Amino acid sequence: MDEIAGRHVVVVGGGIAGLAAALHLNRADAGLRVTVLEAAPRIGGKLYASQVAGIEVDAGAESMLARRPEGKELARLAGLGDDLVDPGTTRAAVLSRGALRPLPREQVMGVPSDVVALARSGVLSPAGLARVPLDQFLPPTLVTGDVSVAAYIRARMGSEVVDRLVEPLLGGVYAGRADMLSLDATMPRIAAVARTERSLLQAARSITAEAPANAGPVFTTLRNGMGALPAAVAKESGAQIRTGVTVRDLIRTPDGWRLVTGPTRDEETIDADAVVLAVPARPASRLLRREVPKAAAELAAIEYASMAIVTLAYPRTAFPEPPEGSGYLVPPVEGRPVKAATFSSVKWPHLAEADGNVLIVRCSIGRLGEELVLQRDDAELTALAMNEMAEVMGVRGLPLDTRVTRWGGGLPQYDVGHLDRVARVRAAIAGQPGLAVCGAAYEGVGIPACIATARTAAKLVLEHLRQAQGTTAADA
């Protein structure tokens, strides 16, 4: 008989972190009763796909890191292992100084490791390029605590590397700004060498040299899109999934926790032996205000960026020349509303197989501090994306179909001091047995990182339940 059979765990939040937590709880002890409460009308959070021109296309995250194991492992546990597919190309470009230029392969999140390859790319101006190798002769830049990405890299390699390489790459992940983002939290490998190496260029060379020659593609996706993952995980978890349920209060009880849901007129209380909060920082803060005010205050300070994804389905004949790479990034200094464009039908061959006459393009719009552009209506955002394709790619004519997806407050900002903030949150929550948190607000915004926090949360909850069960049995 399972030692904690019948115990009730409530997971608040039905995004991939919450669903992964539910699945890991079930796999560890099938006798548990797990309930997932999601305020939205559907599960999955930012993993969602719908049809554009009759082709199933992701509206949120379109891929996950392949070199972290957690994402692929979860897909296999959910029965989707055979649906994992690799990109058809990994070549990308940067729109820099008015032209598309190849993104140097020899770089670490935009930090170049090969000056010759950097020069060949043409991303930097002659003056910006000449500044980079000076890193090897400058006095050490002392980094004793966390600093912004821009502060450290600019001191070593100059402003152009930050503005034209690091900014667009970080912007693609966080929709944030390098002068605010934490070096420790967003570029941990660079941060580690910043404390030991004099030359950033040499450190980047060491990091790129460590990569195995046969490591395989950096990213992977699912044949029916990453949007297929949540439903499969939910089914495999065996949890009771309830959508359209908003949790508005979390109260400690002598035996565990009480959750209060819904508006006052339709109030419902749910008792649980343990709770996993798998929601963004702000709603987590509201739920923790009563019982864990220190954690609540820290979480309330995490800022979020908003963005929109405009998906365009063009006839392939609309492009004067077929796109060769997976897409391109746009540095903020270019002053354009579109920050990145992905040629999805080129990057993911299965989309081209779905309809060879259609080319799917996804344009990302919006960074932190650019909320004004996102106040435009869908038609205006679509026009911005179409203008981008016309100006940069020479596209002629109208798309066959379009879709605008808005992710308001979708991306947490890992500002300077973020890791210390997360440590304080976790320390405060550790004083509340049977309570755990997970999701993108903590140790990584990517899908595998979110799944890793979910696995940790499930482990903490299980340890508490087993310890409590042992204490109860001893008392009996």
Side-chain angles (χ1 to χ4, degrees):
M1 181 177 178
D2 294 320
E3 56 181 321
I4 52 175
R7 296 285 183 150
H8 187 206
V9 180
V10 173
V11 178
V12 183
I16 196 59
L19 297 171
L23 185 145
H24 284 297
L25 286 165
N26 173 274
R27 284 181 58 80
D29 197 310
L32 276 178
R33 184 162 64 96
V34 181
T35 301
V36 177
L37 303 178
E38 169 55 49
R42 63 167 181 84
I43 60 172
K46 299 175 193 67
L47 301 189
Y48 169 66
S50 66
Q51 288 198 349
V52 182
I55 302 172
E56 199 77 4
V57 183
D58 280 307
E62 64 157 10
S63 63
M64 59 184 174
L65 279 172
R67 294 179 185 176
R68 278 197 67 159
E70 298 91 347
K72 292 193 291 186
E73 286 175 359
L74 186 69
R76 293 185 182 108
L77 289 175
L80 298 177
D82 292 340
D83 290 339
L84 290 166
V85 292
D86 293 334
T89 179
T90 56
R91 286 185 298 164
V94 179
L95 181 60
S96 182
R97 300 187 295 121
L100 285 180
R101 306 175 189 277
L103 179 67
R105 289 181 177 269
E106 297 79 6
Q107 46 87 15
V108 182
M109 280 300 288
V111 177
S113 61
D114 186 327
V115 177
V116 174
L118 179 62
R120 213 179 281 128
S121 74
V123 172
L124 305 189
S125 70
L129 179 66
R131 172 64 179 82
V132 174
L134 294 182
D135 158 80
Q136 299 174 99
F137 307 102
L138 292 171
T141 302
L142 297 178
V143 179
T144 55
D146 195 12
V147 297
S148 75
V149 169
Y152 175 67
I153 297 174
R154 186 177 289 122
R156 300 310 310 171
M157 292 185 167
S159 293
E160 282 202 36
V161 167
V162 174
D163 293 343
R164 298 194 174 276
L165 283 170
V166 175
E167 281 277 21
L169 280 160
L170 278 180
V173 178
Y174 299 95
R177 299 193 174 277
D179 59 354
M180 298 172 66
L181 291 170
S182 155
L183 186 69
D184 283 346
T186 65
M187 302 177 73
R189 299 186 74 187
I190 293 294
V193 298
R195 290 173 169 81
T196 58
E197 295 280 350
R198 170 178 169 174
S199 167
L200 177 57
L201 186 62
Q202 184 56 48
R205 285 173 184 156
S206 299
I207 292 171
T208 54
E210 291 171 5
N214 58 348
V218 175
F219 295 101
T220 186
T221 192
L222 294 169
R223 191 168 302 279
N224 291 317
M226 293 306 304
L229 186 60
V233 174
K235 181 179 179 181
E236 184 65 24
S237 75
Q240 180 189 17
I241 309 292
R242 297 180 58 189
T243 56
V245 179
T246 301
V247 179
R248 60 180 178 84
D249 206 357
L250 180 64
I251 305 165
R252 186 81 186 170
T253 68
D255 299 319
W257 297 90
R258 176 162 296 152
L259 300 96
V260 182
T261 74
T264 305
R265 66 180 182 275
D266 297 319
E267 182 177 294
E268 176 189 4
T269 60
I270 301 171
D271 289 326
D273 297 288
V275 172
V276 175
L277 294 183
V279 291
R282 297 290 172 84
S285 172
R286 289 193 293 270
L287 292 175
L288 293 170
R289 269 188 306 214
R290 179 198 298 265
E291 304 293 348
V292 201
K294 289 183 179 179
E298 295 287 356
L299 288 169
I302 297 177
E303 194 168 5
Y304 277 69
S306 299
M307 63 172 296
I309 296 177
V310 180
T311 306
L312 308 170
Y314 281 104
R316 282 189 176 266
T317 54
F319 286 77
E321 296 180 6
E324 294 183 353
S326 61
Y328 62 89
L329 302 169
V330 184
V333 292
E334 291 292 317
R336 306 180 74 89
V338 172
K339 69 174 186 178
T342 302
F343 306 125
S344 299
S345 298
V346 179
K347 185 176 182 179
W348 304 112
H350 63 279
L351 295 180
E353 293 169 7
D355 190 333
N357 297 316
V358 174
L359 200 154
I360 301 291
V361 181
R362 293 188 356 144
C363 293
S364 299
I365 298 176
R367 300 178 181 87
L368 186 70
E370 296 181 359
E371 288 75 18
L372 194 60
V373 70
L374 296 176
Q375 292 176 11
R376 304 185 186 193
D377 63 23
D378 286 2
E380 291 178 291
L381 291 184
T382 301
L384 289 176
M386 291 168 57
N387 288 340
E388 177 75 13
M389 288 297 100
E391 292 175 11
V392 177
M393 302 302 298
V395 169
R396 301 183 297 265
L398 299 175
L400 302 168
D401 196 7
T402 66
R403 179 187 65 195
V404 177
T405 314
R406 298 173 184 267
W407 299 108
L411 289 167
Q413 299 301 289
Y414 287 12
D415 289 348
V416 173
H418 179 78
L419 295 184
D420 288 339
R421 170 169 284 123
V422 170
R424 293 191 294 270
V425 170
R426 293 203 179 280
I429 289 174
Q432 298 289 336
L435 179 65
V437 294
C438 62
Y442 303 98
E443 286 105 7
V445 299
I447 294 168
C450 290
I451 295 166
T453 65
R455 192 161 58 186
T456 299
K459 181 181 177 183
L460 290 171
V461 162
L462 289 163
E463 288 174 352
H464 161 71
L465 293 176
R466 286 167 180 154
Q467 183 178 11
Q469 183 72 9
T471 302
T472 303
D475 291 342

